[in-house]
Amino acid sequence: MIANIVKPGHKTRGVLNYLFGPGRANEHTDPHLVASFDGFAPDPGRDPAATLAQLAAVLDLRVKQAGDKAPKNHVWHCSIRAAPEDRHLTDDEWATIARRVLHATGIAPAGDPDACRWVAVRHADDHIHIVATKVRGDLRPPRNWNDYLCADNELVAIEKEYGLRQVPRGDRTAAKRPTRAEQEKAQRTGRATTARERLRTTARTLLSAATTPEEYFRLLEGSGTLVEIQRFPSGDIRGYKVALADDTNRDGQPVWFSGSTLAPDLSYPKISERLAVTDTSPASPSDFRAWHRLTQATDRVPELLNHSEDKAGQAHIAVLAETLDILPLTAPPDLRPGLLQAATAFERASRSRIRAQHQQAQATRRAVKTILREPAPKDGALLAVLLDAVLLAAVAAQHWHRTRGHNQQAEAARQAAEHLRAAYQAAAAEPLAVIHRRGTQLSEWLRLQQADTVRRALPEQADQILAEPGWPALAATLAQADAAGHNSVTLLTEATAQRELDTATSVSEVLTWRLHRLADLTQHTTSRAQAPEAAPYRPVRTDQQRRTR
């Protein structure tokens, strides 16, 4: 069950008009009361003699008695919705749930004769609305601080007692959802996403590319985003806000969003903390190995999550999110939509209540920022190998969050992994075909030699691997590793020890990419299959970088 407590209002009759009305799309059916503060409130939905004016007057009685002492926004409005797969609850069950929530939030404690006046309205099978006026019988306001958290905690117990779906709870680190007004505005303007969501995506992507706060702001401005920086009297930066040029209010003024309202980790203190440990020295133009370094660093994430302290683990997950944020900028055009979906999904998995020790992942963050300053990889297999490593890291992040009770983050990581799996399969198709052809061209003696390697390294899985369609590609990879001076048996043993293979759809394919990462074989694997050019990216040099030139 989910509770939604809206911002307090001052028009009791206006809320009742909506609850007992037809709804925005005639979705309200049979509106009626399921419970009220005394059990005798007039019900305009079932009693022909009762009116909305009468019900509003009953609820507002103490508000009028309090006069000027009554709070200006005295209407407390909470909706409680069951999950789509839950059974339909009876009116009596909804009435009990309403009373429990009102007690938990402090609006109407059980047995308190001076509790606030309230009604619970049902106009659909799957939810109710509770409306209360925030003036007690002693004409004081109720003590309902943290009402949302209190209501949510009570709903956790209700879900278990009633056998309902137990909704994954957050830890209050999620980004703020777009409001209904923002969603309706996006629909009117023909946008698929709201301005808040577009700004969040832009900000996260450019933050992953920036090396200093100054460069971050410059990149935002360069993208066409409006940026306004707030400063303390001393001149130090206090915060910032952003807006889209085409998103204006009724007065034609830009609609601004502070960094913290886009996402908790986009506030200025958070980005300053993250970038403070970033190496700002300019990348060498002749250094083309950042892709390899990022792949190797990402490949170590599952092991690091298993053996690192929680703060270091959170840092590695944060950098994994940065990797996902920049992948759409570097991938071929056909892969960008899926990778953007993966990055958007993983955004929720990038934060938890655990404070990240960003210095623990500095080397990986440096590699993330460097690949944007390098040419697109000429090796078609390089992107596939990186995506394979990122996919495994996302699955490891899902497990890490789940074991710590981070339900929303674990679900976000799972969704991201699904998008990554599809992107990996698309990216790996051509490189695997090239490697497969090379495997079919091996001599009979060389194929038998590689088969013997597999039997010695993996005796229990050898028959399955040799029968898979991906075996020729693995044989070609083993031959390439031998030619590079590696011990194939040792490599296979190490590749198998990294992670279990029981859930792999194709063990030979998984081992092919693991060997490429372990032995660094991607540089010349598919040199004849040129990768499409990456999206153009021109980082803005900071003042410090200009001085070093």
Side-chain angles (χ1 to χ4, degrees), residues 102-185:
L102 286 161
H103 172 78
T105 56
I107 294 293
D112 183 355
D114 287 330
C116 297
R117 294 192 167 200
W118 60 272
V119 293
V121 181
R122 184 178 188 179
H123 54 209
D125 290 331
D126 62 348
H127 71 278
I128 61 170
H129 292 259
I130 304 174
V131 180
T133 47
K134 296 175 58 177
V135 178
R136 291 168 42 82
D138 53 15
L139 302 186
R140 293 184 302 166
R143 300 173 65 89
N144 65 311
W145 295 289
N146 287 327
D147 49 3
Y148 172 78
L149 187 59
C150 294
D152 197 54
N153 290 338
E154 186 65 25
L155 291 180
V156 172
I158 290 172
E159 289 169 350
K160 295 178 181 178
E161 294 175 24
Y162 283 69
L164 306 175
R165 178 194 171 193
Q166 297 184 30
V167 177
R169 255 65 189 189
D171 53 9
R172 307 183 82 175
T173 61
K176 186 177 180 180
R177 295 178 181 178
T179 64
R180 178 188 290 270
E182 291 171 358
Q183 294 172 339
E184 292 177 348
K185 184 177 183 179

Side-chain angles (χ1 to χ4, degrees), residues 107 132 347 419 429 499:
I107 294 293
E347 186 268 344
H419 293 301
R499 300 173 198 89

